[in-house]
Amino acid sequence: MRSPGFHLGVIVATPGALELAKASGVVLASLLQRHQSGDWGDIHEADIGLNEQALRAGARIFSVYNVPHNSSIATFWFITEADRESTTVLLPEDY
């Protein structure tokens, strides 16, 4: 992982993401640190290149983290906007 290379701006999370994080014992700050350090998590391989390009061009940055929850998987999305004014933590169904 690289050191933080972009500004996160104001960090917000949807109620659903907060609730699921609490229920599954996920520390969102740890996932946020991964996002900012360039560990994009479980995104599609093609999207890795898009994030690398976004770092250079100032476009939106997107990470996906799949974590165990009960007997299934919980998925969290992290989106840092192109202007770097905000980062949103959400669930896919919140989009």
Side-chain angles (χ1 to χ4, degrees), residues 21-95:
K22 183 176 180 180
S24 61
V26 168
V27 178
L28 292 177
S30 296
L31 296 180
L32 191 63
Q33 186 174 31
R34 288 178 60 188
H35 172 71
Q36 188 179 33
S37 70
D39 172 357
W40 314 125
D42 302 298
I43 63 172
H44 188 275
E45 194 170 317
D47 290 331
I48 293 171
L50 292 176
N51 276 350
E52 297 298 327
Q53 216 175 358
L55 286 171
R56 292 186 299 277
R60 182 189 79 155
I61 300 171
F62 178 65
S63 295
V64 176
Y65 304 100
N66 295 319
V67 297
H69 174 64
N70 296 333
S71 59
S72 64
I73 299 292
T75 299
F76 294 89
W77 286 1
F78 286 68
I79 300 172
T80 299
E81 297 302 330
D83 60 10
R84 306 298 187 259
E85 293 291 324
S86 65
T87 297
T88 304
V89 181
L90 66 157
L91 306 177
E93 56 267 27
D94 295 335
Y95 190 73

